[in-house]
Amino acid sequence: MITVYHNPRCSKSREALALVEGSPAGGDLQVVEYLKTPPTLADLKRLHKLLDVPVRDMIRSNETEFAELGLADEALGDDDLLAAVAAHPKLLQRPIVVNGKKAVIARPPELVNDVL
């Protein structure tokens, strides 16, 4: 099962989804529109482990909420940052593609090939 955390308004997200759908693995696909169905804190912690990147890489720092919440503060820990994303899913970097025990932030979209 491949899961794509997707925002249909984002061109990079649409491109990554199209690449997954066009791949041999694309038949077993779950698309999560994370703005409609936000990931829980537990989901975000699981994604963080699968991505194996700093939590800050999972966050869209150009969103208004990032500044409003003071998320640039380096004193904030991973739990604080993930809680902010759980409360404000717009902050989640996109798209995230998960295939089994592998995951990638598909920016650029071609990075989906790393998990297919």
Side-chain angles (χ1 to χ4, degrees):
M1 166 75 69
I2 296 176
T3 303
V4 178
Y5 289 85
H6 176 61
N7 180 346
R9 296 187 65 202
C10 172
S11 64
K12 300 294 183 203
S13 193
R14 290 191 308 268
E15 289 174 40
L17 180 59
L19 288 170
V20 172
E21 289 174 331
S23 77
D28 195 15
L29 176 64
Q30 175 186 19
V31 177
V32 176
E33 288 190 32
Y34 65 90
L35 294 176
K36 291 182 181 178
T37 309
T40 65
L41 183 57
D43 293 333
L44 292 168
K45 287 181 178 184
R46 183 180 68 80
L47 283 174
H48 177 239
K49 286 183 183 181
L50 291 173
L51 287 165
D52 194 30
V53 298
V55 169
R56 289 190 178 279
D57 288 358
M58 296 174 61
I59 299 175
R60 295 179 54 80
S61 60
N62 60 335
E63 296 294 341
T64 304
E65 291 86 345
F66 183 85
E68 289 174 351
L69 297 169
L71 299 180
D73 183 351
E74 293 294 328
L76 293 173
D78 289 352
D79 288 341
D80 298 319
L81 295 170
L82 290 174
V85 175
H88 304 274
K90 186 177 180 183
L91 290 168
L92 184 64
Q93 191 56 266
R94 62 186 182 248
I96 295 177
V97 180
V98 180
N99 186 3
K101 295 185 180 189
K102 301 181 292 185
V104 67
I105 298 169
R107 295 185 77 82
E110 294 78 19
L111 288 177
V112 299
N113 295 317
D114 293 350
V115 296
L116 297 179

